[in-house]
Amino acid sequence: MMLDADGFMDPERSLMHYSESWATVHYLCQSDGGKKLLVRYYDDLRAGKTQAQAFEDNLAKSVDKLEVDVKEYVRKLAPPK
């Protein structure tokens, strides 16, 4: 979750990084817990914390659970009709 641009765009992994990142953003924007994490993260950025500090304070502690939650969320998604 903390890749720089070069790491994210690694030609051998960029498609997976792109897919995983959008799945995570979709989950965070649609779930109550995710929305709270995002709000706290962005509040910290607005307060002057660095991205690394905001990540550590809000997401790092729950990254393992977040991964499980995102995978479960994606498995339950239905294709658009």
Side-chain angles (χ1 to χ4, degrees), residues 2 4 6 8 11-12 14 16-17 23-25 28 35 39-41 53 57 59 61 66 71 78-79:
M2 292 297 293
D4 62 10
D6 290 335
F8 187 85
E12 294 182 20
S14 62
M16 182 59 68
H17 292 159
T24 302
V25 169
L28 290 171
K35 289 176 192 173
V39 167
R40 288 194 310 259
Y41 175 81
Q53 289 171 318
D57 291 347
L59 296 168
K61 298 170 189 145
L66 181 61
K71 286 179 180 178

Side-chain angles (χ1 to χ4, degrees), residues 24-65:
T24 302
V25 169
H26 194 275
Y27 166 77
L28 290 171
C29 290
Q30 297 298 316
S31 68
D32 290 335
K35 289 176 192 173
K36 291 175 186 175
L37 282 173
L38 282 177
V39 167
R40 288 194 310 259
Y41 175 81
Y42 285 116
D43 283 348
D44 282 355
L45 291 176
R46 281 190 287 278
K49 288 187 178 181
T50 65
Q51 286 179 321
Q53 289 171 318
F55 176 83
E56 183 64 32
D57 291 347
N58 296 289
L59 296 168
K61 298 170 189 145
S62 61
V63 76
D64 290 337
K65 182 175 180 344

